[in-house]
Amino acid sequence: PGASALGEEEAVNLAYQKAVTATFTETTATVGTVDPLNVTDGDVSTRWSSFKIPEDVLPAVMIDLDAVVTLSEVDILLYVDEREYEFELYLTNEPIVSEGLVDTTGYEPIYSGNGIGSGSVPDLVPTDMSACTVVTIDSAVEGRYLTYVGINISSGAHAMWELEAYGTVKQIVVHDIVSVETCATLGITV
């Protein structure tokens, strides 16, 4: 996963350790933590879950990629062996998850389809991304926020071990720059 869209070059996971916002997170986990940040921590043994999500809320996780990007591939390691998930992916310039809700009004998904889960806790924790759902993105849509939205929640929850994003950075978003001197020290021209 990841390198297929980039040929022989080593792919860079654009979602690695980026900020994540979820519409809902399970609060009754008996094994491990289920924090939304787990989907971008680079550790396939940690997870996020929307178990016991209210019926009127769609399960969603939004990742702030800290840059405007064009995606070529998204790899998602979904939770629980053989569970089928139906989901959509959105790449937007504005956040679409806020205050426990996701609002996709005015946006078209860059992907809509299915994926199969892998592993479970505590006995079948994955050791790598080999069982992930690989989503190839053919459109040239640019955006900063990558959002996974669970559509079919008949299984009771959406959950994932890890989400990785690959593509091209178009524009870096700079946060909290203190001064021009700080930029110069970092090698950034303003």
Side-chain angles (χ1 to χ4, degrees):
S4 63
L6 299 175
E8 294 184 22
E9 294 180 32
E10 185 171 332
V12 175
N13 176 6
L14 301 174
Y16 179 65
Q17 295 189 339
K18 297 297 195 257
V20 181
T21 304
T23 54
F24 182 84
T25 299
E26 174 183 355
T27 59
T28 59
T30 57
V31 179
T33 61
V34 290
D35 192 298
L37 292 173
N38 290 344
V39 303
T40 62
D41 67 358
D43 182 351
V44 296
S45 70
T46 62
R47 65 189 173 98
W48 161 80
S49 170
S50 67
F51 183 64
K52 294 192 177 183
I53 190 169
E55 289 183 21
D56 61 338
V57 177
L58 284 175
V61 289
M62 178 183 70
I63 301 166
D64 182 351
L65 298 172
D66 278 339
V68 176
V69 304
T70 300
L71 295 177
S72 56
E73 181 175 315
V74 177
D75 299 343
I76 307 167
L77 189 56
L78 297 162
Y79 177 69
V80 180
D81 270 340
E82 304 304 317
R83 178 183 287 172
E84 186 169 341
Y85 292 86
E86 184 179 349
F87 62 93
E88 294 178 338
L89 294 175
Y90 291 84
L91 185 62
T92 60
N93 288 313
E94 300 296 327
I96 61 173
V97 173
S98 178
E99 299 179 14
L101 298 173
V102 60
D103 183 4
T104 60
T105 305
Y107 297 102
E108 291 293 321
I110 58 172
Y111 175 81
S112 183
N114 299 323
I116 302 293
S118 174
S120 64
V121 292
D123 300 328
L124 298 172
V125 176
T127 57
D128 59 33
M129 291 288 288
S130 62
C132 74
T133 298
V134 176
V135 176
T136 302
I137 308 298
D138 295 324
S139 67
V141 176
E142 293 181 2
R144 172 178 170 178
Y145 299 91
L146 173 61
T147 306
Y148 168 102
V149 180
I151 302 301
N152 179 354
I153 56 173
S154 62
S155 63
H158 275 250
M160 70 179 72
W161 301 100
E162 197 73 18
L163 186 148
E164 298 179 349
Y166 299 93
T168 306
V169 173
K170 299 293 184 179
Q171 177 184 5
I172 296 174
V173 177
V174 179
H175 298 281
D176 302 325
I177 295 299
V178 177
S179 67
V180 173
E181 290 80 23
T182 302
C183 289
T185 302
L186 296 172
I188 300 171
T189 306
V190 275

